[in-house]
Amino acid sequence: MTGHAAAVGTPLRVRAVDGPWEEAYGQLTRTGTVVVHGWLDDWLPGSMPPERLRGLLGRDWHRYQSFAQPRLRERFAASRLLLRRAAAMAIETEAELVDLAYLQGGRPYVRGCDQIDVSLSHTEELIVVGITRSGRLGVDVERADRRLSGTGSESQALTPYERAQLDAGGDAARNDGMVRLWTLKEAYSKALGTGLRFRFTEFGFRLEDGGGARLVRPDGTPVTSTGVWSFRTFGVGGRYVVSVAVHDTGFGAVRDLSVGTTLDKGFLDVLLGGPGSGYPAGLFGDPYGVDAVAGPELADDGRQVVADGALGEEQAPGDLGGVRAPGGQA
């Protein structure tokens, strides 16, 4: 790899009102990437009036209503509220005006703002959101004590080189290393937009001190690629492991992400279905929250939420940061 990898700072804890959003924005402007996390209880809608919640969830409102179990419905709402608030911070607008949609495979994006890339992951009581203006990114979170070593996951998800790394570290550190590798692979796959179509045994990571990692082939040889990848793993709350994958395209970060620099607020309200516009999903959406651009999409809960027959974004074969899909050569 050449050039300078994107800097990834420690995930910042944010609350719905208190933030600290200024600190998050400062990190984004300085480094081009910011990762924030929130505890579920801080982001539950609680007694929020339905009209207010509907305005904040936008096209996700109908998915929210589709959950039969209250706890699943609350967790879905909390994760989307944090994602929208973080995206609003990045582009200097209100959360109600952020129009979230989903690409094929469930990857979220902000409609009309391709200067940033966003990623979302959540498990139990922790929600993690990553935002970058340098290229592409993915985040993943998992319980630190999730039992992975000594299970079928090792043969299904690790390369020979990675298994040798774990062997060298000893039994006491084996599960910690496995969790770290698993979350790195999930984050990298999210950044690529390939999901599980790119088998975890077809690429690997060389774990480094300080939470860093380097992308390697199954035999452990380094991968060279266009642009620069940065990989980091962090511990959060003493109970969770968060991994981040960021791809710096090398074109430089966009300096001004404010939506106000190109669209006045009145037009933006109509475009995105904001307050007073009279359009529940904006001119380029629809009242059912279906994204006509993304194509079929399966979300966290396995539901298809995007209409069939639309155009989708597919990852080009071999466009895997220097590692080709199964059957190809790096």
Side-chain angles (χ1 to χ4, degrees):
M1 300 182 185
T2 59
H4 299 284
V8 182
T10 302
L12 300 173
R13 180 184 178 182
V14 290
R15 296 176 176 85
V17 177
D18 302 331
W21 294 112
E22 289 186 3
E23 184 178 351
Y25 184 77
Q27 188 174 125
L28 179 64
T29 56
R30 288 192 306 272
T31 70
T33 300
V34 65
V35 179
V36 298
H37 75 273
W39 297 104
L40 182 64
D41 287 345
D42 290 337
W43 287 90
L44 292 174
S47 59
M48 184 182 296
E51 299 79 14
R52 168 69 172 161
L53 182 58
R54 179 170 185 166
L56 286 168
L57 290 181
R59 67 178 62 246
D60 282 324
W61 170 254
H62 294 277
R63 289 181 63 193
Y64 165 77
Q65 289 187 308
S66 72
F67 288 97
Q69 298 183 28
R71 193 60 175 173
L72 292 177
R73 189 163 57 245
E74 289 181 338
R75 184 176 287 112
F76 176 83
S79 65
R80 269 54 185 185
L81 290 175
L82 174 52
L83 177 56
R84 287 174 185 276
R85 182 64 184 85
M89 171 273 298
I91 60 177
E92 299 181 74
T93 188
E94 300 297 325
E96 295 92 330
L97 299 182
V98 174
D99 192 16
L100 284 180
Y102 302 89
L103 296 173
Q104 196 168 20
R107 179 182 177 82
Y109 71 100
V110 180
R111 287 169 61 94
C113 189
D114 60 1
Q115 299 98 324
I116 63 172
D117 195 36
V118 301
S119 184
L120 167 70
S121 183
H122 54 90
T123 183
E124 296 181 345
E125 58 181 333
L126 186 66
I127 309 165
V128 179
V129 170
I131 298 179
T132 189
R133 58 185 192 179
S134 299
R136 300 290 295 271
L137 95 162
V139 299
D140 191 65
V141 58
E142 189 58 75
R143 281 191 64 96
D145 62 358
R146 179 181 175 184
R147 177 51 55 185
L148 291 176
S149 68
T151 69
S153 299
E154 290 200 22
S155 60
Q156 296 171 6
L158 298 184
T159 66
Y161 173 77
E162 289 171 323
R163 290 198 295 272
Q165 280 188 103
L166 297 185
D167 291 341
D171 292 339
R174 191 174 190 86
N175 198 72
D176 291 345
M178 181 71 186
V179 172
R180 188 175 167 192
L181 288 168
W182 180 273
T183 55
L184 283 166
K185 293 192 176 202
E186 289 277 6
Y188 181 50
S189 296
K190 289 180 180 181
L192 294 173
T194 61
L196 297 179
R197 295 190 300 274
F198 189 34
R199 293 197 301 265
F200 282 2
T201 54
E202 296 294 327
F203 64 98
F205 287 97
R206 178 181 301 160
L207 301 180
E208 299 177 341
D209 294 336
R214 293 183 67 86
L215 184 67
V216 296
R217 296 181 175 85
D219 63 0
T221 56
V223 170
T224 57
S225 62
T226 302
V228 178
W229 282 95
S230 179
F231 302 98
R232 289 292 305 277
T233 300
F234 304 91
V236 174
R239 302 189 302 278
Y240 296 93
V241 172
V242 173
S243 284
V244 185
V246 184
H247 181 248
D248 187 340
T249 59
F251 291 107
V254 179
R255 293 299 176 189
D256 188 356
L257 297 176
S258 171
V259 294
T261 60
T262 55
L263 297 176
D264 65 63
K265 187 177 185 300
F267 179 71
L268 195 64
D269 281 348
V270 175
L271 184 68
L272 300 182
S277 70
Y279 295 91
L283 290 178
F284 298 126
D286 67 37
Y288 300 103
V290 173
D291 185 356
V293 177
E297 178 256 315
L298 296 179
D300 300 335
D301 57 352
R303 297 176 182 271
Q304 183 169 311
V305 297
V306 178
D308 290 314
L311 296 176
E313 178 183 359
E314 294 285 352
Q315 190 73 27
D319 185 15
L320 301 168
V323 181
R324 293 188 180 274
Q329 296 180 354

